[in-house]
């Protein structure tokens, strides 16, 4: 059995990454999602069984000490990390797995696992990004400016990714992310058993 493929997705605030990801999981129900351990407080609307496992700083630091994390990073004063075991188990079982991380996390994963396929969700323009961040809600103008600055810094790192998914029309962005996943599944190294099955009959 061939190993599963590892995918990493990043995108700044205002890129629509979470919406793209939700669409991808609808179209690829077999894809596994790596639940990150994080120390930031739960936000309104989040649940303990959602996309994060909420842990204390002590628990997180133990996970670091015990080598349980594939990568970890401090983001706005809180720890975020990818538990290693789940990812490794999925890949060994032949399952594809998606990790959602910031640009630092993506860089660290690519260093450790160069076969990881990195995709970056990007807004179509600075104007659209500004509009999305402003439209979002009740953030004060200085908060919006700060988010915009962080988003631009992240977009500056996009060139290290294997693929860019521009999120202009949402359905196109979802289809393009799905195409990246399907393409990885078509790689020769993932299909040698099919070839062997034909020629060794
Ligand atoms: P938020 O607090 O807004 O949910 O996430 C903040 C940032 O942390 C986002 O860019 C998100 O992609 C990133 N992130 C989520 N999980 C992880 C993780 O396990 N490791 C790293 N390095 N970043 C993460």
């Amino acid at each position: 059995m061939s190993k599963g493929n590892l995918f990493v997705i990043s995108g700044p605030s205002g890129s629509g990454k979470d919406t793209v990801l939700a669409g991808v999981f609808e179209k690829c129900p077999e894809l596994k999602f790596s639940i990150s351990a994080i120390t930031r407080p739960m936000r309104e609307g989040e649940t303990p069984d959602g996309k994060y496992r909420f842990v204390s700083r002590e628990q997180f630091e133990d996970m670091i000490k015990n080598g349980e994390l594939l990568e970890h990073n401090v983001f706005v004063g809180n720890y975020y990390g990818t538990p290693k075991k789940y990812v490794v188990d999925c890949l060994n079982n032949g399952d594809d797995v998606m990790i959602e991380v910031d640009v630092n996390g993506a860089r660290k994963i690519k260093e450790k696992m160069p076969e990881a396929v990195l995709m970056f969700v990007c807004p179509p323009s600075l104007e659209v990004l500004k509009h999305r961040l402003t439209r979002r809600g009740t953030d004060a103008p200085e908060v919006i400016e700060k988010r915009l600055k962080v988003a631009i810094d992240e977009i500056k790192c996009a060139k290290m990714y294997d693929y860019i998914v521009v999120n202009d029309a949402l359905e196109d962005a979802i289809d393009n992310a799905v195409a990246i996943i399907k393409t990885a599944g078509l790689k020769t190294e993932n299909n040698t058993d099919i070839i062997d099955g034909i020629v060794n009959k």
Side-chain angles (χ1 to χ4, degrees):
M1 182 180 60
S2 54
K3 281 181 82 173
N5 295 299
L6 177 58
F7 300 98
V8 175
I9 192 164
S10 308
S13 176
S15 66
K17 171 193 56 186
D18 287 349
T19 318
V20 171
L21 208 46
V24 167
F25 275 96
E26 243 173 58
K27 295 195 176 187
C28 305
E30 307 285 290
L31 182 64
K32 308 286 182 193
F33 182 71
S34 161
I35 294 182
S36 297
I38 70 168
T39 62
R40 83 153 159 70
M42 213 183 283
R43 287 188 190 130
E44 213 184 300
E46 288 181 326
T47 56
D49 55 355
K51 69 174 212 170
Y52 290 135
R53 188 177 142 214
F54 296 91
V55 300
S56 66
R57 285 190 90 82
E58 293 71 35
Q59 282 173 305
F60 198 99
E61 283 164 3
D62 280 346
M63 292 170 93
I64 299 175
K65 238 186 282 160
N66 298 333
E68 289 173 37
L69 299 173
L70 183 58
E71 62 76 39
H72 70 276
N73 192 37
V74 176
F75 189 93
V76 202
N78 291 300
Y79 282 126
Y80 290 73
T82 307
K84 195 183 332 185
K85 186 174 184 313
Y86 179 76
V87 172
V88 171
D89 287 351
C90 284
L91 298 176
N92 288 340
N93 284 339
D95 290 327
D96 290 351
V97 57
M98 175 69 78
I99 306 180
E100 189 228 304
V101 288
D102 68 344
V103 293
N104 294 305
R107 186 178 293 116
K108 289 179 200 165
I109 292 170
K110 192 72 175 179
E111 275 167 18
K112 283 193 183 165
M113 303 172 94
E115 69 282 9
V117 177
L118 270 51
M119 54 181 107
F120 188 88
V121 183
C122 191
S125 68
L126 191 58
E127 286 65 37
V128 171
L129 180 66
K130 273 187 195 166
H131 177 71
R132 286 182 187 163
L133 289 177
T134 313
R135 184 189 61 180
R136 259 184 174 202
T138 53
D139 284 339
E142 55 274 21
V143 175
I144 293 171
E145 275 310 307
K146 202 173 156 199
R147 282 195 187 196
L148 190 60
K149 201 180 156 302
V150 173
I152 292 168
D153 284 345
E154 287 179 338
I155 295 170
K156 284 182 186 160
C157 300
K159 287 187 184 170
M160 73 169 182
Y161 284 72
D162 298 304
Y163 295 98
I164 304 296
V165 175
V166 176
N167 184 15
D168 190 358
L170 176 63
E171 274 310 313
D172 289 346
I174 294 169
D175 286 346
N176 288 337
V178 170
I180 295 165
I181 292 167
K182 295 217 161 132
T183 304
L186 298 175
K187 282 178 104 177
T188 305
E189 68 210 44
N190 290 323
N191 294 287
T192 50
D193 50 344
I194 294 176
I195 302 300
D196 291 344
I198 296 170
V199 294
N200 296 335
K201 268 253 153 81

